[in-house]
Amino acid sequence: MTLTREQAGNRAVEIRWHGRGGQGAKTACLLLADVAFSSGKHVQGFPEYGPERMGAPITAYNRITDTHCKVHSNIYKPDYVAVVDETLLKTVDVTGGLSEEGAVIINTNKDPEELRPFLNGYKGKICTIDAAEISMETLGRNFPNTPMLAAVVKISGVIREDKFINDMEASFKHKFAHKPQVIDGNMQALKKALQEVKVGDKVRS
């Protein structure tokens, strides 16, 4: 029998990522697991494998807890959903199982309420971030996963923002030791996303 997170006695924050192959949704998921682990959390970060071709829809998951988690199943009722590609709203039920006490975070240049008609009656918070524009401004290319990572941290609150920024800078310095311009661009993208994510209201009953 698979334990629920409540039965396991350890309330988890569960996050589901939707993206397309090549956009970095899986990478953002794994980065979130790494930085949460650095903050002292117990973490899981894993993709749901399917066709790995460029542009194909992909799904990835994070489970983050304060103590050891005994739950190792897929995530069916996430607290937060991150949508790295807005076009998926037309073909994927991105809010399926999503808690209305949580939020969906979408990469788009639209305001939150413009997207509610595409979310199958979801009444929780809709958050938007123009991750494509931010990445173009800071990195010179469309790498939406870095701004989306920051937006998820901002909205979910799973990691303190100052701790997140410090740990990500250390990670980038290690990963891109010979490319300092990449470090600066990624740090700018993270900080800009933390400031620019938009939060809509829940639908009132």
Side-chain angles (χ1 to χ4, degrees):
M1 181 179 71
T2 300
L3 295 174
T4 66
R5 53 192 177 180
E6 288 82 5
Q7 289 170 334
N10 184 20
R11 178 67 171 90
V13 175
E14 296 183 334
I15 300 166
R16 186 172 70 218
W17 296 79
H18 292 281
R20 294 188 184 277
Q23 294 178 328
K26 181 172 73 172
T27 299
C29 168
L30 298 178
L31 279 172
L32 179 57
D34 285 345
V35 74
F37 180 77
S38 296
S39 298
K41 303 284 187 178
H42 291 252
V43 301
Q44 297 173 19
F46 53 97
E48 183 175 77
Y49 287 103
E52 290 292 302
R53 65 186 185 276
M54 185 72 71
I58 67 101
T59 310
Y61 306 91
N62 287 113
R63 184 177 283 119
I64 301 172
T65 60
D66 289 325
T67 58
H68 178 67
C69 182
K70 300 177 182 178
V71 181
H72 294 282
S73 63
N74 272 1
I75 292 172
Y76 303 104
K77 295 183 179 180
D79 300 289
Y80 302 94
V81 165
V83 183
V84 183
D85 190 315
E86 180 186 356
T87 66
L88 290 171
L89 302 183
K90 298 177 181 178
T91 58
V92 177
D93 182 13
V94 299
T95 56
L98 176 59
S99 169
E100 293 189 351
E101 298 305 311
V104 57
I105 306 152
I106 303 168
N107 172 22
T108 180
N109 60 9
K110 299 180 177 66
D111 288 326
E113 288 308 312
E114 291 183 67
L115 298 176
R116 197 173 293 280
F118 303 98
L119 296 177
N120 296 320
Y122 180 65
K123 296 180 180 179
K125 289 182 180 178
I126 301 170
C127 306
T128 59
I129 179 77
D130 195 344
E133 178 64 21
I134 289 173
S135 66
M136 288 299 296
E137 287 181 13
T138 57
L139 298 167
R141 296 179 65 183
N142 186 7
F143 289 134
N145 58 332
T146 299
M148 285 298 295
L149 171 61
V152 168
V153 168
K154 176 77 172 185
I155 299 304
S156 68
V158 290
I159 307 166
R160 284 199 341 259
E161 290 180 32
D162 59 339
K163 177 69 172 169
F164 168 67
I165 288 295
N166 290 338
D167 286 351
M168 287 303 300
E169 185 170 20
S171 175
F172 288 146
K173 285 180 178 178
H174 175 74
K175 186 175 181 180
F176 302 117
H178 302 294
K179 298 179 180 179
Q181 72 280 7
V182 176
I183 299 170
D184 292 342
N186 276 284
M187 291 309 300
Q188 289 177 36
L190 292 174
K191 292 174 182 178
K192 194 171 181 65
L194 288 172
Q195 295 173 349
E196 295 190 5
V197 62
K198 300 177 182 177
V199 183
D201 295 326
K202 292 175 60 177
V203 173
R204 296 180 179 178
S205 302

